[in-house]
Amino acid sequence: MLTFLTRLVGVLLALVGLALTVLGGWFATELGTSGTAQFTVRPATSDPIVIRPEVLNRVDADVVVTATPAAGGRVWMALANPSDATAVLGDSRHTRVTGVDVRDWLLTTRSAGSGDAAEGLGVADLWRQQDQGDLPVTLTVEQAEAPETLVVASEGGPLRSLTFAVTDKTWFVEAVVAALVGLFVLVVGVLLAWPRRPTHPSGPDVPPVPPATPDPADTPDPAVAPEPDPEPRDPEEATR
């Protein structure tokens, strides 16, 4: 019973370790050594795109937002106090960024509002920071000014892409540590689930040595009488 429980625990540890290793390695590869998480959306509408504080100010790190217009189009992007941005948008149609999808590295969105899309947003004097152009436009959101709302509007067609990037070098380190811990847990689990049987070293097989066969020449013939010992000589004759 104890052996069964040990192997069961080993299998569970191996599965957990494998999942942690794969997840940590995947995050480390996607984030890179800089620890940059980048999420993208390609909107299918020309309605303004709004990123509210629950997404924009969710982490304690600078957020870099880049909007790329369609060919021949223009893009405008600005930051404002959340209440001011809500007031200028009113009930007009817009696309709201609701969060991020880490699995596919996408921004999740939903449609909001029912009135006509707001126009001339750039003429309002409530924006803390704004920029526009017919090339990709980038704004860096520093969390010191949080909470803030970011609004993006396009002319000449839907945006080609909107990218939301956050950099935190500790994320890469944490991903690598998770992968290493997972690898250690995986090895421990495998050793518990499939323990190695002890093996005893043995030398090469040596055939047994057959008993020696006596030489017939060395076997005395019982029919032949042994020669008598020569008569001992007199010590005096031996000295002569």
Side-chain angles (χ1 to χ4, degrees):
M1 184 64 178
L2 181 60
T3 301
F4 173 76
L5 291 178
T6 301
R7 290 187 173 182
L8 179 60
V9 171
V11 171
L12 294 177
L13 285 177
L15 292 175
V16 172
L18 178 62
L20 195 58
T21 301
V22 172
L23 191 62
W26 178 74
F27 266 109
T29 302
E30 294 292 335
L31 294 172
T33 55
S34 64
T36 301
Q38 183 170 293
F39 307 92
T40 303
V41 64
R42 293 174 174 80
T45 176
S46 298
D47 295 340
I49 300 174
V50 179
I51 307 179
R52 296 182 57 81
E54 55 266 26
V55 177
L56 195 63
N57 306 124
R58 187 169 183 175
V59 296
D60 189 18
D62 291 351
V63 176
V64 179
V65 182
T66 301
T68 303
R74 292 180 61 82
V75 63
W76 170 86
M77 184 163 44
L79 284 169
N81 182 283
S83 59
D84 292 338
T86 300
V88 74
L89 287 170
D91 195 33
S92 62
R93 294 191 316 271
H94 61 276
T95 298
R96 182 173 297 176
V97 175
T98 57
V100 298
D101 182 357
V102 177
R103 183 183 61 182
D104 297 321
W105 301 101
L106 296 175
L107 289 172
T108 59
T109 61
R110 69 176 178 86
S111 298
S114 58
D116 294 337
E119 297 180 358
L121 293 174
V123 299
D125 59 358
L126 51 88
W127 307 109
R128 296 177 179 176
Q129 183 181 357
Q130 61 178 317
D131 197 1
Q132 60 182 331
D134 52 7
L135 296 176
V137 173
T138 299
L139 282 182
T140 300
V141 181
E142 298 178 356
Q143 302 303 328
E145 300 294 331
E148 289 182 301
T149 293
L150 185 141
V151 180
V152 183
S154 63
E155 297 178 4
L159 291 175
R160 180 176 299 174
S161 66
L162 180 68
T163 301
F164 181 100
V166 185
T167 299
D168 191 333
K169 293 183 178 181
T170 61
W171 291 346
F172 174 75
V173 177
E174 291 170 354
V176 172
V177 170
L180 294 177
V181 171
L183 185 61
F184 174 78
V185 174
L186 174 61
V187 172
V188 172
V190 170
L191 293 178
L192 288 176
W194 294 279
R196 296 183 59 186
R197 298 181 181 276
T199 57
H200 301 284
S202 58
D205 295 336
V206 179
V209 180
T213 304
D215 190 350
D218 297 336
T219 304
D221 190 353
V224 179
E227 295 181 358
D229 294 337
E231 293 182 1
R233 293 184 298 173
D234 187 19
E236 294 182 359
E237 293 180 0
T239 57
R240 288 180 185 177

